Amino acid sequence: MDARLHVFPINCSNSKPRPSARLTFFCYFSENVNSDLANNVYEFGPFQLELSEHRLMSEGRTIPLTGKAFDTLRVLLERHGKLVPKHELMNAVWPESSVEENNLDRNISALRKVLGEQAPGILFIETVPRIGYRFVAPVTKIPMNAMARRAGDREPDLPSRQEIRFCVTPDNVRLAYATVGPGYPLVKAADCFNHLDFEWESPIWRHWVRDLAKDRSILRYDLRGSGLSQWDVEDLSFESWVQDLETVVDAAGLERFDLMGHSQGGAVAISYAARHPERVSHLILCGGYSRGVDYRGNPEAAEARRALETLVELNWGKVNPSFFQLVTDLYIPERATAEEHCWFKDLQLISCSTANLVKVMRTCDQINVRHLLPSISAPTIVFHSDGDRIAPPEEGRIMAAEIPGARFVPLASANHTLLADEPAWKIFRDELASFLRSESRTSQKPLPAEFHTAVPAFIESTNVGK
C-alpha cells in the first residue's frame, strides 16, 4: 500500500497551544483511505482544489495554504450551499482537539484573502453571524482522472511527486532523502530548518524544487536529528554531516553530480568536494560560509550568537512566541508575506527539537574549512545576499576569492533563504542555469592521476574534521 507522509502546520495564532502540540507534528495515513473522496477535484471560479494532491490551483499556479486553511476550505466545499455551524467546522478541522474560535476565524480570513474576495461583487464564503459559514459560489465536483485529461493546458507548479527513501550511516543513524525530476543529478547538502515533506508545499522552499527540477534530478536529504531523519542521535558534529552526505549519494547510486551547499551546507559541500573531486561536476554555494562565528575574529558577533543559543536552549519561544518572529526576521526579513512568515515559524517547530537545534548551532559556530578552499577543483559559483543576517556577505566574498576560478554573484537581498517573488531569486535561477550550461561537463579535462593521491594526503595532514 502506497503511503505518504502528510504534515499539518501548527497554527500561527496567539491562542494557547493544544496539548502535545510540540510532540505530535505529523501522522501517516494511506492514500487508499477514502480514495473516492480523495480523488475528487472541486472547481469554483478560477480555482481548483485537488484533494489527492493537497493543493489549491489557479490558472496553473499553486496557491500556498497552511494545512488547516486547506482543511477548512475542503469541508466548506464538500457541503457547498449549506450552512456549516462553527462547532461542526471546528470539529472537522481539529478532530479530538480543543481550540479557540479565533483559529477558525483566522482560517476564514486567510481563505478570503487568497480567493480574492476583497474585489467588489466577488463572494465565495458567506458568514452567518454567530452561527457559521456557507460556501455560496457555484462548485463543480470532478473526478481526478477526468481532471487529468483536461490538464494538458497547464504546467504543474511542482513535479508530480517526490520519492522519499531511507538509508543508514556507518554510525547507524537513519537518514531520509528524496529525489525528484529528470536529468543530470544535483545534490543539495542538508542545512538547518529542512523537512522533506513539509517543505514540499511550503512557499519558503517549494520554488527551489520547482525551478531546479525542471531539467535535472534533485536529491535532497534531512540533516541527522531533524526532519524525517532520525532525531535521537548523539553525534551532531561537522564530520558526521560530511559522512551523511557521503552516505546519501552512495545510497542513491550517484557517481558524479552537481553539488549545492546553502547556509552551513556550503561548508559540508566544500569538504565533500575537497575529499571527492572526481565526483563533483559543479559546486554551487549560496548564503554559505567557510568559517563559523568562532573563527571570524568578531567577539561581539560571537557574544550575540551565544545569547541567541541560550534563548533557544531555554525554549524561549514557549513563553514568548515573538521569539519565533525574531528568528524568522533573521532568515527572511525582506519582502516576506504574512503567510511566508507563518510557514517559516511552523518550520522552526516541526523540523528539529530544541535540544538538537542548540547542538546544530554550536557545531556551526565551530566550522572552519577555509584552508580547503584553494584545493577545490570543480567549477564553482558563489551566490550571496548583500544584506544577509545569518552569513555575513564577507564570508561569500572569501569563498569566491580563495576557490580557484570561482564566479561571484552578489544578490540585492537581505534574505538568507531567497523567496520566490523577490528579484534576487530570478537572478539566482538565471545565473545558475547559465553557469551550468557554460561549464560543459564533457569538456572538463580529467584530473591527473597524482591528484587523487595528493588531495587525500593533504586532507589527512590537516586533520580535517578531527
Side-chain angles (χ1 to χ4, degrees):
M1 188 159 48
D2 184 16
R4 292 181 63 193
L5 175 70
H6 291 257
V7 178
F8 299 91
I10 296 170
N11 192 278
C12 291
S13 70
N14 293 323
S15 61
K16 295 180 181 179
R18 302 192 302 276
S20 303
R22 290 281 296 155
L23 299 177
T24 306
F25 295 116
F26 45 82
C27 60
Y28 290 90
F29 64 88
S30 169
E31 287 186 338
N32 293 327
V33 177
N34 295 326
S35 59
D36 291 342
L37 178 63
N39 285 332
N40 287 329
V41 175
Y42 289 96
E43 271 196 339
F44 54 97
F47 300 98
Q48 302 89 35
L49 191 76
E50 301 178 356
L51 299 187
S52 64
E53 297 297 325
H54 205 268
R55 65 184 177 187
L56 176 66
M57 302 289 296
S58 177
E59 298 177 346
R61 297 183 302 110
T62 297
I63 309 299
L65 284 178
T66 62
K68 294 305 182 186
F70 180 94
D71 291 341
T72 303
L73 179 58
R74 172 184 55 80
V75 174
L76 290 173
L77 288 171
E78 288 170 353
R79 300 180 60 180
H80 62 91
K82 300 177 181 179
L83 174 64
V84 184
K86 286 187 176 182
H87 71 274
E88 290 186 17
L89 191 52
M90 292 172 69
N91 287 339
V93 176
W94 291 276
E96 301 180 0
S97 300
S98 176
V99 297
E100 296 181 6
E101 192 173 293
N102 65 356
N103 286 274
L104 177 60
D105 296 339
R106 293 173 195 274
N107 281 352
I108 296 294
S109 177
L111 289 174
R112 284 181 166 144
K113 182 177 180 180
V114 301
L115 298 179
E117 284 197 354
Q118 298 89 341
I122 297 179
L123 180 64
F124 291 102
I125 302 172
E126 177 186 65
T127 300
V128 179
R130 297 184 298 278
I131 298 178
Y133 300 95
R134 179 187 292 112
F135 199 92
V136 295
V139 177
T140 303
K141 184 168 68 173
I142 305 170
M144 188 64 184
N145 57 357
M147 191 71 186
R149 291 194 296 269
R150 297 167 41 182
D153 60 342
R154 66 172 172 86
E155 182 180 353
D157 211 24
L158 276 174
S160 58
R161 60 174 296 182
Q162 61 178 343
E163 295 183 359
I164 299 177
R165 294 184 173 88
F166 292 88
C167 59
V168 179
T169 66
D171 60 337
N172 213 31
V173 173
R174 185 179 64 253
L175 300 177
Y177 68 96
T179 56
V180 64
Y184 193 83
L186 185 151
V187 176
K188 178 184 175 291
D191 56 89
C192 194
F193 298 139
N194 283 156
H195 189 295
L196 292 177
D197 193 74
F198 186 78
E199 68 188 34
W200 180 248
E201 296 183 4
S202 163
I204 306 300
W205 284 112
R206 63 192 310 277
H207 55 289
W208 290 72
V209 180
R210 175 198 64 200
D211 289 355
L212 297 181
K214 282 184 177 178
D215 56 1
R216 58 183 63 84
S217 173
I218 309 299
L219 185 149
R220 299 145 41 239
Y221 64 99
D222 284 336
L223 194 72
R224 61 170 56 204
S226 68
L228 299 182
S229 292
Q230 185 174 332
W231 281 35
D232 55 332
V233 294
E234 292 296 325
D235 187 3
L236 283 169
S237 65
F238 180 76
E239 179 62 26
S240 75
W241 293 349
V242 180
Q243 181 186 79
D244 289 349
L245 174 55
E246 293 172 332
T247 299
V248 167
V249 296
D250 287 346
L254 302 183
E255 294 296 330
R256 191 163 169 82
F257 49 87
D258 298 330
L259 179 59
M260 173 184 290
H262 176 267
S263 197
Q264 86 261 26
V268 174
I270 289 167
S271 184
Y272 184 93
R275 300 183 189 193
H276 306 281
E278 75 286 354
R279 301 184 70 173
V280 179
S281 305
H282 298 82
L283 182 61
I284 304 133
L285 304 172
C286 183
Y289 51 89
S290 63
R291 309 177 301 170
V293 70
D294 289 353
Y295 292 91
R296 294 175 189 162
N298 188 335
E300 291 184 359
E303 187 175 348
R305 175 74 170 187
R306 299 290 179 267
L308 181 63
E309 290 165 356
T310 299
L311 292 176
V312 172
E313 189 171 26
L314 294 174
N315 200 6
W316 194 246
K318 184 176 182 180
V319 295
N320 187 354
S322 61
F323 176 71
F324 293 118
Q325 185 62 48
L326 181 151
V327 177
T328 299
D329 285 340
L330 290 175
Y331 278 82
I332 50 171
E334 189 174 83
R335 292 177 174 267
T337 65
E339 181 189 31
E340 287 166 336
H341 277 205
C342 183
W343 276 88
F344 195 85
K345 292 175 191 175
D346 289 343
L347 183 59
Q348 293 175 56
L349 292 171
I350 200 172
S351 62
C352 191
S353 70
T354 298
N356 284 352
L357 179 56
V358 173
K359 292 179 182 178
V360 168
M361 294 175 72
R362 290 175 177 164
T363 298
C364 291
D365 296 345
Q366 299 166 13
I367 286 174
N368 189 3
V369 296
R370 184 173 180 177
H371 57 284
L372 294 179
L373 300 180
S375 70
I376 301 300
S377 60
T380 302
I381 189 167
V382 179
F383 298 92
H384 214 103
S385 296
D386 54 20
D388 198 326
R389 302 178 184 181
I390 297 296
E394 173 66 10
E395 294 303 311
R397 292 191 283 268
I398 287 173
M399 293 189 299
E402 298 183 12
I403 294 176
R407 288 176 55 185
F408 181 63
V409 181
L411 301 170
S413 175
N415 292 330
H416 183 61
T417 302
L418 299 174
L419 299 174
D421 292 334
E422 63 177 313
W425 171 253
K426 184 178 186 302
I427 293 172
F428 168 82
R429 184 189 62 199
D430 294 348
E431 288 288 336
L432 176 58
S434 175
F435 168 71
L436 294 178
R437 283 196 304 267
S438 63
E439 297 285 352
S440 171
R441 300 179 184 88
T442 57
S443 65
Q444 293 180 33
K445 296 180 179 179
L447 295 170
E450 59 269 19
F451 188 88
H452 297 284
T453 56
V455 171
F458 168 74
I459 294 173
E460 181 63 28
S461 68
T462 53
N463 294 317
V464 175
K466 298 182 181 179

